[in-house]
Amino acid sequence: MNVIDPVAANQGDITGRVRLEQSEDGARLTGWALGEADVPGEPPEIAIQVPGLGLRTLAAWPLAPDAEALPDGACGFTWHLPSSVRDGVPRELRVWNLATGLELAGSPIAVGRGAAVQANEAEAPLARWDAPLTGHVSAGDPVELAPGLFVAAEPPARSLRYELVVGDPMTADTAPERGIRILADAPSGRIALHFPLAPLMPTIEDTPALLQLRAWLPQATQRAMQAQAELWLMVFRFGGFEKLRRLRRVRVFRRPSLITAQITLSEEDFAAGALWLGVEALNARGLAAMPPRIVAPAGSSAAGMEDQRLHSAFDALAELVRVHGEAAMPTHALLPAMPPAAGQSPCVAAGDAHPFTQVILPVYNGDDIVRGCLRALRAAGTGPFQVLIVDDGSRGFTAEMLRREVAGDPRFILHRRDTNRGYTKSINEAVALTQAPWVVVLNSDTVVPHGWLDRLHAAARARPGTGMVGPLSNAATWQSIPEVKRPDGSWSVNDMIEPEHLDAVQRLLDEVSTREYPEFPVLNGFCTLIARTVLDRIGAYDEEAFPMGYGEETDLCLRARRAGFRLTLADDAFVYHHKSLSFGAAGRSPLTRAGGLEMTNKHLGVNIAALERTMQSCPALVRVRARMLDRLKEIS
Amino acid sequence: MARIAFVLPVRGGSGGAHSVVQEVTALRALGVEARVLVNRANAPQFAAAYDRFAWVAEGGMGVFDGPKDLALLAAEAEVVIGTTNTSVHSISEALLTMRNSAIRTGYYVQDYEPLFYAAGTSEHQLAVASFALLPNCVYFAKTSWLTGIVQAAHGLDAVRVVPSIDHGLYGPAPRSPGRRVVVAMVRPATPRRAPRRTLKLMARLAAGEFGDVEVVGFGADAEEMEQAGLVTPEGVRMLGRLRQQDVAALMRAADVFLDLSDYQAFGRTAAEAMACGCVALAPRLGGAPDFIADGVSGFLVDTTDADAVAAALRSILSLSESELRAMRYAGLEAVAGFTPVRAAMSEMRALGLA
């Protein structure tokens, strides 16, 4: 898609222009802007003021010379509206060129219902939801959960748990849309959801129409999970449902997929009574779906690929290629020419200073180790930072210790929940409370050295397009130094390194690191610097698939790489990580342990073993480890 | 000798099915006990399509109905090979019904099938999942584009094997001098084969924009054209659906073959045209660069760029007789090695059997 609006270029004092675009993956602001006149070629920063969410900044990128209708030196930018801005609440966004200090032409931009948010035309039944958001009903005959929604399941299932779903649970990247998720207490021969077709009638009465809905399985219990599913045209009469005809047989997966069926209604159909669509999963434990809608058939095009399906199919292929190769690849010899992937650069500060960074520190009990983490954070800061401690329902003495430790230091903010919600939810809650252009998600069993944030940001600066950065550690799987694994194949925690050795290890790393800042396919989640633009673009951690953790950080990494953000290793930064000796059972990787089934199902086609091989053979890290071991031998 | 089973749940007739059948024939000639396993619904048509191969009626074709059936047939083989994404799912389901199976698996990737469907659809997910199902599977494909895609998208090593075409059918013949003949295939039901783009260019050719040439199309009958809302341009001779031998005869009489598909994982028809002595113009995106050196043994083009296509066509049609002959010879030589025996040998090597 062309991000540039040539209209109004070269007009008066305009130093940039912005507009709102709707795309398949949501809404976004795109435009162009000129840099400072006395620094030719330097892309300007763009600031976006979002009421209620603060200021977002992003760097524009130089445009190809063929953007003819634009002034010389014009740079492009794109900002995907995060789901928090696509909640239907009317807002006015203002966009500024920070190089010139001028507001862009086209700003302010109104977003809200009817603008950025596209209502699902068939949402009416679920919009009038008057049942609890979650609950249980008996399996058996169809039960009306809410006006316009029935569920049913054949034995041996006896009980169904239902839950209202908002948005696409696997991508966190679509406009708000409501669906329903049902999970039975046992596998059912047929588990069904019935949606009325009445809201779609005006568009399907006369001609064959394409009916489309999104359906998925609510739980991963095996690799490449799938079930047979059927779409039925049904009629509701005499107080019950009757099947008129089967429209389609398809497969449903853990990840939502679009199911399309052509529907042509006859006079007899209309005379039969109120028409409904039945979605049934066979021999499945559950089913989830969004209401059906009418879509236009995939067409052919005179320009570009004639098969219109190839655009999205090649995009999906490019995502997989980014995950297994270079995330920010501009082109690939095996693929057709593609637009820039992420299309937006995270904010980086000029010179050595790092931009304001908020550190999210989830805490659940623990005393001395957490205290050590807090004290190290206080002593290690060299630039603008703030620590948001998320106390996820710790016991009294931990809560009291936290209050004592942070009292009087405005850089530390304590956010406490009285009940434990689980790791993923508490981090997401904290992410929503932050506004800085960069956040760090840091485990509370870590100890950071002086200047740690400078080093992480230096890695982001060194490799343009970086969206996430991770440091090295004594115990961080493939980021561990000097040893990765023990002789028995389990993950090493390098227990010769103690917290009090931290400064010495960092000095040693300063000496042996060549600062190559290699790109990594996945980062260990113990300490990760994340650009706001990444969270805005791909959403936060996935609470639905990984409520208790165990895979949520890998999932975020893969989603970031799919979107074209680089993951960079700060190979000159060391963060100490306490780990119990039970960490890393022999022969198993955290990537393939608990949560692995959700992960592999969510990222079908991604070869985790291949990503592990890439991390294992990373030449820059192999060199750092070898040099470090050599130096340690010299010292000893 | 080794026992290899190709799971081929299709009716037959497509280029991919032809090549598997030819390669099974060659494998059997080499002493390998190779079979095809066809699902019951397609078995009668498949048997009819390939009744000229004696082995089809002599136990070389197994018929299955569901995963348990397939498991019983698979248990008789050392290696079971999927040839389409759905056949890989069938093999996976069959393996789940077997206990302690020592059967090895292979995936003959004949196209990158996720490209057949819009992203996010159930069919797309099914095709992507086919690369995550088979344990210790040997992936092989006939072009470096396909092996590269499998590696780049899924981190899976894939072995490049030799493609095969039927040289008994597709071979050169002396051409009579005179008006040049340009042939193109029109596939209305397969949008990635770009029927509209192809017809548009055929119309320009027939109108004389590129000189005095005869323009012939094949691949679609009048009813198919009408259903797809397509019209045969004035001056174009549309021959409808042709049998393989008629395609070969047409190619032998033609000078230029146009394949303007969005991409081609292999480019079988272009290779067959070259084996008949035609000069082929094929998409740069995909597998054709393996056997077409641009401007030497044929032409490669970004088919989505109408100007580039027109320029390449002008280049072809401006070739002198001797230049055209040289290009013909280069094309013939480029595909001469695509024999079923070489294909079979390369597959055995990929599977570690030779």
Side-chain angles (χ1 to χ4, degrees):
Chain A
M1 186 180 301
N2 181 16
V3 298
I4 305 308
D5 179 7
V7 180
N10 295 318
Q11 286 182 4
D13 295 331
I14 290 175
T15 64
R17 172 167 281 273
V18 62
R19 68 162 186 250
L20 180 70
E21 267 182 4
Q22 298 289 344
S23 61
E24 282 180 7
D25 58 353
R28 58 192 187 180
L29 299 183
T30 70
W32 59 271
L34 293 171
E36 281 183 72
D38 51 352
V39 195
E42 180 78 17
E45 287 202 335
I46 305 297
I48 302 165
Q49 191 180 17
V50 188
L53 291 175
L55 203 64
R56 296 285 194 265
T57 54
L58 52 125
W61 71 85
L63 287 170
D66 60 354
E68 294 160 3
L70 296 175
D72 287 345
C75 295
F77 67 89
T78 297
W79 184 66
H80 291 261
L81 270 61
S83 53
S84 51
V85 182
R86 290 182 278 128
D87 54 3
V89 175
R91 290 186 175 86
E92 205 167 70
L93 310 183
R94 299 187 70 180
V95 187
W96 306 81
N97 181 339
L98 291 182
T100 62
L102 296 174
E103 191 165 4
L104 299 192
S107 172
I109 283 182
V111 298
R113 192 165 291 282
V117 178
Q118 289 181 322
N120 175 3
E121 53 193 306
E123 198 184 70
L126 295 185
R128 287 185 285 111
W129 188 264
D130 56 8
L133 296 179
T134 180
H136 287 84
V137 292
S138 297
D141 292 336
V143 177
E144 187 173 24
L145 274 188
L149 179 74
F150 281 77
V151 299
E154 287 179 357
R158 286 174 304 175
S159 163
L160 300 175
R161 177 185 160 77
Y162 66 85
E163 194 180 330
L164 191 69
V165 178
V166 179
D168 184 331
M170 299 301 259
T171 64
D173 201 30
T174 55
E177 190 180 7
R178 287 177 170 194
I180 188 76
R181 175 181 189 269
I182 47 175
L183 192 62
D185 58 343
S188 164
R190 280 178 188 268
I191 192 159
L193 289 165
H194 299 167
F195 296 102
L197 289 178
L200 306 178
M201 277 310 169
T203 41
I204 57 175
E205 265 180 1
D206 298 329
T207 56
L210 279 183
L211 202 62
Q212 189 177 73
L213 58 76
R214 197 183 290 265
W216 68 100
L217 299 169
Q219 207 174 48
T221 52
Q222 61 190 61
R223 288 176 64 237
M225 178 99 185
Q226 53 183 289
Q228 194 74 246
E230 295 178 347
L231 257 56
W232 286 86
L233 180 65
M234 312 186 85
V235 62
F236 186 82
R237 60 184 168 194
F238 313 125
F241 285 98
E242 284 174 37
K243 286 178 173 171
L244 288 180
R245 60 181 172 274
R246 189 168 66 198
L247 300 173
R248 270 213 76 178
R249 289 187 76 179
V250 288
R251 302 264 183 152
V252 284
F253 302 84
R254 175 67 183 98
R255 190 175 174 157
S257 52
L258 292 168
I259 299 170
T260 307
Q262 184 162 302
I263 182 167
T264 308
L265 299 177
S266 63
E267 290 294 324
E268 290 76 28
D269 293 331
F270 287 112
L275 297 173
W276 287 63
L277 181 75
V279 192
E280 299 185 345
L282 312 187
N283 303 315
R285 179 89 191 270
L287 175 65
M290 300 281 182
R293 61 174 75 197
I294 299 296
V295 294
S300 54
S301 166
M305 297 279 179
E306 181 163 330
D307 187 345
Q308 290 296 283
R309 296 170 300 188
L310 280 171
H311 293 287
S312 68
F314 268 117
D315 284 349
L317 172 56
E319 282 188 13
L320 286 169
V321 173
R322 282 188 208 112
V323 167
H324 292 97
E326 192 188 335
M329 58 179 188
T331 58
H332 193 286
L334 301 175
L335 301 176
M338 292 175 296
Q344 51 189 346
S345 302
C347 167
V348 287
D352 292 333
H354 70 68
F356 177 51
T357 304
Q358 285 173 302
V359 180
I360 294 168
L361 191 75
V363 176
Y364 179 58
N365 295 329
D367 195 6
D368 289 347
I369 285 179
V370 179
R371 186 185 293 117
C373 175
L374 289 171
R375 290 182 179 177
L377 276 168
R378 183 177 297 132
T382 56
F385 80 99
Q386 185 182 60
V387 179
L388 178 63
I389 304 165
V390 192
D391 180 4
D392 194 17
S394 294
R395 288 188 297 267
F397 67 87
T398 303
E400 181 50 36
M401 181 275 288
L402 292 174
R403 271 193 290 274
R404 254 195 337 266
E405 283 294 323
V406 306
D409 190 337
R411 296 174 304 174
F412 286 74
I413 293 173
L414 186 54
H415 178 70
R416 177 170 165 79
R417 296 191 60 87
D418 288 332
T419 52
N420 181 267
R421 295 186 71 202
Y423 183 78
T424 312
K425 281 188 174 156
S426 68
I427 293 185
N428 279 352
E429 193 172 296
V431 166
L433 293 170
T434 59
Q435 292 188 0
W438 291 86
V439 296
V440 176
V441 177
L442 182 69
N443 283 10
S444 59
D445 59 349
T446 54
V447 188
V448 296
H450 184 76
W452 70 294
L453 278 178
D454 295 317
R455 290 188 186 88
L456 294 183
H457 279 290
R461 256 198 308 272
R463 202 168 268 280
T466 291
M468 296 169 75
V469 180
L472 303 181
S473 178
N474 57 304
T477 57
W478 296 112
Q479 289 157 244
S480 294
I481 54 168
E483 284 177 348
V484 176
K485 292 196 172 181
R486 298 185 183 116
D488 67 0
S490 62
W491 295 109
S492 174
V493 297
N494 291 291
D495 42 18
M496 74 293 247
I497 300 175
E498 301 284 347
E500 55 269 28
H501 301 145
L502 176 62
D503 289 337
V505 175
Q506 181 59 63
R507 276 197 302 276
L508 184 59
L509 193 55
D510 285 340
E511 193 184 316
V512 301
S513 173
T514 50
R515 291 168 185 80
E516 293 180 45
Y517 303 118
E519 188 170 352
F520 238 41
V522 171
L523 294 172
N524 186 296
F526 81 111
C527 172
T528 316
L529 175 69
I530 308 171
R532 171 73 50 193
T533 45
V534 172
L535 298 165
D536 283 349
R537 175 78 181 89
I538 65 170
Y541 292 103
D542 182 345
E543 298 174 9
E544 197 245 1
F546 312 100
M548 303 310 292
Y550 302 110
E552 81 296 341
E553 80 264 35
T554 307
D555 168 57
L556 191 78
C557 288
L558 295 180
R559 282 192 281 138
R561 279 176 65 85
R562 280 176 179 271
F565 291 102
R566 287 184 203 276
L567 275 51
T568 299
L569 207 56
D571 56 354
D572 62 343
F574 185 88
V575 170
Y576 183 82
H577 191 199
H578 291 274
K579 272 286 178 186
S580 72
L581 292 177
S582 64
F583 170 64
R588 300 199 71 189
S589 144
L591 300 182
T592 53
R593 282 203 308 252
L597 279 178
E598 285 292 350
M599 170 83 67
T600 50
N601 274 283
K602 182 167 180 181
H603 295 281
L604 264 182
V606 170
N607 186 339
I608 296 289
L611 302 186
E612 299 221 44
R613 283 197 295 276
T614 304
M615 293 188 279
Q616 183 180 14
S617 61
C618 172
L621 270 193
V622 169
R623 281 193 286 274
V624 165
R625 289 188 184 110
R627 285 198 195 107
M628 194 165 203
L629 285 170
D630 286 348
R631 276 299 283 139
L632 286 171
K633 275 182 204 155
E634 286 170 24
I635 295 166
S636 62
Chain B
M1 265 313 252
R3 285 161 292 145
I4 304 177
F6 290 84
V7 182
L8 195 59
V10 298
R11 281 181 298 177
S14 69
H18 285 324
S19 70
V20 173
V21 167
Q22 275 178 180
E23 287 152 25
V24 165
T25 307
L27 282 164
R28 292 174 74 92
L30 293 169
V32 176
E33 209 179 300
R35 306 173 78 191
V36 291
L37 307 182
V38 185
N39 59 324
R40 189 167 301 285
N42 287 320
Q45 293 99 320
F46 187 93
Y50 299 110
D51 59 0
R52 64 183 184 276
F53 297 97
W55 56 263
V56 170
E58 293 166 1
M61 183 182 100
V63 179
F64 67 93
D65 202 356
K68 283 186 182 164
D69 250 14
L70 179 58
L72 289 175
L73 289 169
E76 297 169 9
E78 284 169 51
V79 191
V80 184
I81 295 166
T83 59
T84 59
N85 86 81
T86 50
S87 67
V88 169
H89 283 269
S90 299
I91 293 172
S92 173
E93 286 165 18
L95 291 179
L96 288 175
T97 70
M98 300 167 81
R99 281 186 192 166
N100 304 321
S101 167
I103 296 172
R104 296 168 52 208
T105 56
Y107 188 171
Y108 192 176
V109 184
Q110 307 213 61
D111 204 321
Y112 187 67
E113 292 181 52
L115 293 176
F116 295 1
Y117 312 103
T121 58
S122 175
E123 295 81 358
H124 184 266
Q125 288 210 52
L126 197 72
V128 170
S130 69
F131 292 95
L133 285 181
L134 299 181
N136 304 316
C137 175
V138 175
Y139 295 84
F140 57 100
K142 49 187 160 238
T143 65
S144 48
W145 184 78
L146 274 171
T147 57
I149 288 284
V150 172
Q151 167 64 45
H154 302 289
L156 297 167
D157 291 330
V159 184
R160 187 174 152 200
V161 294
V162 176
S164 68
I165 52 181
D166 189 343
H167 288 282
L169 207 54
Y170 299 100
R175 279 166 167 74
S176 45
R179 203 176 174 211
R180 288 192 175 162
V181 180
V182 178
V183 170
M185 186 162 68
V186 179
R187 298 264 299 273
T190 316
R192 67 178 179 281
R193 298 281 171 255
R196 285 172 171 77
R197 182 186 299 143
T198 306
L199 287 167
K200 207 168 164 184
L201 188 67
M202 291 168 91
R204 289 169 66 185
L205 274 160
E209 188 181 329
F210 298 89
D212 181 26
V213 290
E214 184 182 349
V215 190
V216 184
F218 71 97
D221 56 33
E223 193 181 339
E224 283 175 287
M225 293 282 285
E226 195 183 330
Q227 268 180 1
L230 300 176
V231 178
T232 302
E234 198 175 323
V236 172
R237 189 155 60 95
M238 188 64 79
L239 299 178
R241 279 181 175 264
L242 298 181
R243 293 174 306 158
Q244 277 182 298
Q245 48 268 49
D246 297 329
V247 173
L250 178 63
M251 297 296 193
R252 270 194 286 275
D255 298 285
V256 182
F257 171 71
L258 302 178
D259 181 344
L260 300 185
S261 300
D262 288 332
Y263 81 98
Q264 270 288 11
F266 169 37
R268 167 169 302 281
T269 314
E272 289 167 346
M274 288 162 72
C276 293
C278 240
V279 171
L281 183 151
R284 190 183 302 279
L285 182 62
D290 275 4
F291 58 91
I292 296 179
D294 191 21
V296 178
S297 54
F299 284 85
L300 296 170
V301 69
D302 172 1
T303 49
T304 63
D305 180 344
D307 293 340
V309 171
L313 196 52
R314 274 190 203 100
S315 298
I316 300 175
L317 294 171
S318 66
L319 293 175
S320 66
E321 268 308 317
S322 64
E323 287 169 332
L324 196 64
R325 196 180 315 117
M327 192 169 278
R328 252 185 211 135
Y329 291 164
L332 280 163
E333 204 167 0
V335 300
F338 292 177
T339 68
V341 169
R342 285 195 68 220
M345 290 298 301
S346 67
E347 285 163 24
M348 285 172 68
R349 269 192 214 105
L351 295 166
L353 300 173

